[in-house]
Amino acid sequence: MDVIKVEGGHPITGEVTVEGAKNSALKLMAATIMAPGVTTLKNVPNISDVHVMGKVLKRLGATVEVVDKHTLRIDTSNVDKWETPYELVVQMRASTAVMGPLISRFGKAVVAMPGGCDIGARKIDMHIQGLEALGVEFEINHGNIHASTPHGIIGDTVTLAFASVGATENLMMASVYAKGTTIIDNAAREPEIVDLANMLNEMGAKIRGAGSPVIEIEGVKESLHPVTYSVVGDRIEAGTFLAIGGLVGNPVTVHGFEPIHLGLVLKKFEKMGLSVERGNHECTVWREGPIIPTDIQTLPFPGFPTDMQAQTMCLLALAKGSCVITENIFENRFMFASELQRMGADISIEGHHAIVHGVPSFSSAQVKSPDLRGGAALVMAGLVADGITTVSAIHHIDRGYENFVEKLVSLGAHAERDIVPDEEAALAD
Ligand code: UD1
């Protein structure tokens, strides 16, 4: 079993460059289905979720050529299937992002129904209701969602009950060829939505307002054409390394993303006593005084991202005092807290609130990644714990962080990937 071993207490400082955003790359890959031909995507992170999306596209009949580590050439000319099987959806829920593109290109799609997952139920009812409003008909049987468009896709106004990222993206993609204009009201505003809209527009779509709560999609008749497009920098990978700067104290500079995409995160870091220097496509964080307890609540963009909650909890667990973290997006996203408690943190969970009482230090322990961001935050905690922390279930971390250990080592960390023998693995599990 692969683990990450990290020895705490070594000086950490320096510069790292982040990769393209996982949450954008996956949707851009799905969107290539809508532009038959060869689309070249640059700045694609080399992470396991991207590999799964590659498998999804190949299963549909596309070819995916790896030009270099971060460039994919995706040929969707011969896509002739519209079914995404359970074994891929179960590996990665974002596989459901092909539903909108398949409906656009073929007027139909069969996508395995995603089940529950570690961070909550993660339903797709809003995707379905929104698409129904545009004339898509659904049947659910044998665990699969069958979508068809007997009367075509007809533009209408869809008001989302919650600004869901996935629903906004599927609706945006499904309505590109609709008759008339589609309006998505209460749309998600994440930078990755803007990235997707920008690429679709370069391909020939007519999307206005992405990044605002109202997105307008004017249906086009002509088929979208392939483009060469570069994925936006990963704000969450950036936020993770900046949080590390705040944790260790010495400056950590992150290149390759837009600090504005971490607007509220950086504001909260400042409230927490961290120093933040924003630059052009880069940012530096360090800390001189103690960590100041600060309440956090996760909300859709531009609110505080749920994907930065665990890393921030790691910082606040060492604050001088107590504060409350409220998780409003996913119901099970506090599993990280119980692992951090094994390292000496004092956190009590009440529903979707975590009451965090700062402790002076962490002690090293064997801990298990509960999910992608929680796993990264455990490695982060290990950087300042006494002794060696062993983090297991690191396949979660591999889903979203490319060369995480190598980047930490380049900052001065004493960390390595290791394969532990079975009896030790049993303990770590
Ligand atoms: C995306 C991101 C994820 C991020 C999340 C919120 C990807 C691959 N993943 O996930 O990293 O944490 O946005 O910023 O881009 N919901 C419903 N019904 C629906 C859709 C969503 O109840 O039809 C609920 C979900 O269960 C969840 C909440 O709404 O509790 C947010 O979901 P959503 O914004 O759709 O997140 P994802 O697109 O799944």
Side-chain angles (χ1 to χ4, degrees), residues 77-144:
S77 322
N78 298 321
V79 169
D80 57 355
K81 294 175 208 69
W82 44 87
E83 286 197 40
T84 305
Y86 181 65
E87 78 250 27
L88 292 175
V89 175
V90 82
Q91 279 182 52
M92 186 185 69
R93 302 175 59 81
S95 310
T96 52
V98 296
M99 187 155 67
L102 289 173
I103 291 172
S104 254
R105 177 149 170 190
F106 299 109
K108 55 188 166 185
V110 180
V111 178
M113 185 93 178
C117 77
D118 289 347
I119 59 171
R122 294 189 89 165
K123 294 180 286 188
I124 59 163
D125 54 325
M126 280 190 269
H127 301 229
I128 291 181
Q129 283 158 19
L131 291 166
E132 276 175 344
L134 304 180
V136 183
E137 294 186 3
F138 287 96
E139 245 183 74
I140 297 178
N141 56 40
H142 306 295
N144 289 322

Side-chain angles (χ1 to χ4, degrees), residues 226-241:
V227 291
T228 296
Y229 192 84
S230 188
V231 181
V232 69
D234 196 323
R235 64 194 164 104
I236 305 299
E237 187 193 0
T240 305
F241 281 104

Side-chain angles (χ1 to χ4, degrees), residues 23 27 122-126 164-166 306-307 329-330:
N23 289 351
K27 318 307 167 54
R122 294 189 89 165
K123 294 180 286 188
I124 59 163
D125 54 325
M126 280 190 269
S164 153
V165 171
T306 175
D307 290 351
I329 311 292
F330 293 114

Side-chain angles (χ1 to χ4, degrees), residues 223-378:
S223 176
L224 299 195
H225 53 82
V227 291
T228 296
Y229 192 84
S230 188
V231 181
V232 69
D234 196 323
R235 64 194 164 104
I236 305 299
E237 187 193 0
T240 305
F241 281 104
L242 293 173
I244 287 171
L247 184 71
V248 299
N250 296 328
V252 171
T253 299
V254 178
H255 302 278
F257 81 110
E258 303 301 332
I260 192 112
H261 293 164
L262 279 178
L264 189 59
V265 174
L266 298 177
K267 279 233 154 72
K268 285 285 182 183
F269 279 3
E270 285 171 327
K271 278 205 157 171
M272 288 160 61
L274 278 48
S275 300
V276 178
E277 198 174 276
R278 298 162 181 81
N280 210 0
H281 313 300
E282 63 178 40
C283 186
T284 303
V285 168
W286 71 99
R287 175 172 58 86
E288 277 144 22
I291 298 172
I292 301 162
T294 305
D295 292 345
I296 303 280
Q297 59 165 321
T298 64
L299 284 170
F301 192 85
F304 195 95
T306 175
D307 290 351
M308 278 302 297
Q309 184 251 102
Q311 304 89 314
T312 310
M313 183 184 282
C314 178
L315 280 167
L316 291 169
L318 294 180
K320 228 175 156 84
S322 305
C323 59
V324 178
I325 300 180
T326 302
E327 172 57 54
N328 291 312
I329 311 292
F330 293 114
E331 66 258 44
N332 292 347
R333 234 182 188 179
F334 282 145
M335 289 175 301
F336 161 74
S338 41
E339 291 299 310
L340 199 62
Q341 271 165 330
R342 303 197 63 247
M343 298 180 71
D346 181 357
I347 302 167
S348 45
I349 305 295
E350 286 179 19
H352 66 132
H353 304 291
I355 296 102
V356 184
H357 304 287
V359 294
S361 59
F362 294 140
S363 67
S364 59
Q366 289 185 335
V367 286
K368 185 175 176 183
S369 301
D371 52 41
L372 165 57
R373 306 302 167 187
L378 287 171

